[in-house]
Amino acid sequence: MYQVGEYVVKINCGICRIEDITHLDMPSVDKNKLYYLLIPREEEKTKLYVPVESEHPGIRKVMSSDKAWELIEMIPEIETAWISDDKQREQRYKAALKSSEPEQLISIIKNIYLRKKKRDALGKKNTATDERYFKLAEDTLYSELAFALGKDKKDMKSLITETIEKKQQN
């Protein structure tokens, strides 16, 4: 069970603070059931209620600073999510975003980046679908990494690039 004041990642909502653990006073809702009241960091006027005892509540702990650095250093070894069929590839992108798992996000970011390089070499533009999922995956990943490291989200791309380059030089 999470505690009031802790930060968690809520699937499709990003990082949220647990504001309260409470019962809902609404018709047709079990008055004995406890809910986490979550406040998203990027939308502080929004309130989300997630059942405490849910089997799959769609929340998980925010990664630690150590885990964030470990993940960044692991990026070169994470496999890309290469799928040639457009519809299957988009489904893979959706599943990765829905999971909010950093390794899956990195996999699709790498895949889209490599696809873009290939398309550029052929004189083709990146697809709108790839652009959209690339931005969503980057935003989701960078938000959590920035939070874990106490950094600004806009600095994450350069921090990741610098860290990987330094590792490759050693």
Side-chain angles (χ1 to χ4, degrees), residues 30-46:
D30 182 352
K31 306 283 189 248
N32 296 317
K33 196 172 188 177
L34 283 174
Y35 290 82
Y36 294 115
L37 167 57
L38 305 178
I39 307 295
R41 287 189 71 222
E42 295 186 8
E43 296 177 36
E44 293 184 356
K45 293 181 180 169
T46 301

Side-chain angles (χ1 to χ4, degrees), residues 43-111:
E43 296 177 36
E44 293 184 356
K45 293 181 180 169
T46 301
K47 292 182 180 183
L48 306 168
Y49 292 92
V50 177
V52 170
E53 296 300 323
S54 176
E55 202 172 298
H56 301 286
I59 61 175
R60 65 171 172 76
K61 279 192 171 273
V62 175
M63 75 176 83
S64 67
S65 175
D66 289 343
K67 172 67 178 163
W69 284 115
E70 182 182 304
L71 184 69
I72 290 169
E73 291 181 5
M74 228 173 66
I75 288 174
E77 287 84 45
I78 294 175
E79 288 187 33
T80 60
W82 184 255
I83 298 170
S84 56
D85 180 81
D86 289 344
K87 289 193 184 303
Q88 288 180 354
R89 189 172 49 254
E90 185 173 5
Q91 291 306 313
R92 170 87 159 120
Y93 293 168
K94 285 179 183 178
L97 283 165
K98 187 175 182 184
S99 79
S100 266
E101 288 299 327
E103 291 86 354
Q104 288 190 38
L105 296 172
I106 291 167
S107 180
I108 65 169
I109 289 167
K110 287 175 68 173
N111 180 58

Side-chain angles (χ1 to χ4, degrees), residues 142-170:
Y142 293 175
S143 291
E144 186 172 2
L145 288 173
F147 182 83
L149 298 173
K151 306 278 184 187
D152 195 307
K153 183 168 64 172
K154 68 178 179 353
D155 298 331
M156 292 315 303
K157 190 175 211 164
S158 59
L159 179 104
I160 290 168
T161 303
E162 289 168 16
T163 303
I164 291 170
E165 286 174 354
K166 281 181 190 172
K167 184 180 178 195
Q168 290 173 344
Q169 290 173 356
N170 293 335

